[in-house]
Amino acid sequence: TLYAHGNDGFLQWHRYFLWKFETAMRDVVTNYNKQQKALNKADFLDACITIPWWDWENDYQREKDASIWLNSTLGSNQPGCVKTGAFANWKTSNGSCLYRSNNVDSKHTF
């Protein structure tokens, strides 16, 4: 959908998929630990896996100026190569920069 990609609705739209991914990671760790226990091994992993989340209700109707766009978090939401925040200067698999755009036609949008 247009709301899910290429604009400030991306993160809240995908929160369900992030939750499913987080749950799947916990399941993998839990199954690994069950196997280790069955083999009488003591090499257990911590199943407390949490993906950081954004409480977007705090930024309702001001998503473009939300706290997630601080330099200390995801960095500026300005269009172009990401140069601030946790994803600053990242490169994609083809060597191009991680690119933010408000244009829904962009190929490398976050």
Side-chain angles (χ1 to χ4, degrees):
T1 70
L2 292 179
Y3 185 73
H5 295 98
N7 64 59
D8 56 332
F10 181 88
L11 294 174
Q12 59 264 35
W13 182 263
H14 290 81
R15 66 190 178 271
Y16 173 76
F17 300 106
L18 293 174
W19 173 76
K20 292 292 284 182
F21 178 66
E22 186 178 85
T23 301
M25 288 192 303
R26 285 189 190 128
D27 290 345
V28 167
V29 171
T30 299
N31 289 335
Y32 173 83
N33 288 341
K34 286 179 183 177
Q35 291 172 353
Q36 293 299 88
K37 185 175 182 180
L39 296 171
N40 292 322
K41 294 188 177 181
D43 183 27
F44 295 98
L45 299 174
D46 186 358
C48 183
I49 298 170
T50 304
I51 297 173
W53 63 282
W54 166 45
D55 186 357
W56 59 277
E57 289 181 0
N58 290 335
D59 296 313
Y60 177 67
Q61 293 188 334
R62 59 177 201 93
E63 290 88 355
K64 293 184 184 206
D65 297 317
S67 58
I68 60 164
W69 304 121
L70 298 173
N71 288 340
S72 59
T73 54
L74 296 181
S76 171
N77 69 348
Q78 297 302 309
C81 293
V82 177
K83 296 181 181 175
T84 61
F87 300 102
N89 304 312
W90 272 33
K91 300 290 181 193
T92 64
S93 59
N94 68 4
S96 64
C97 69
L98 180 63
Y99 188 84
R100 287 201 182 115
S101 172
N102 292 328
N103 179 355
V104 295
D105 296 326
S106 175
K107 294 180 182 176
H108 306 292
T109 302
F110 170 72

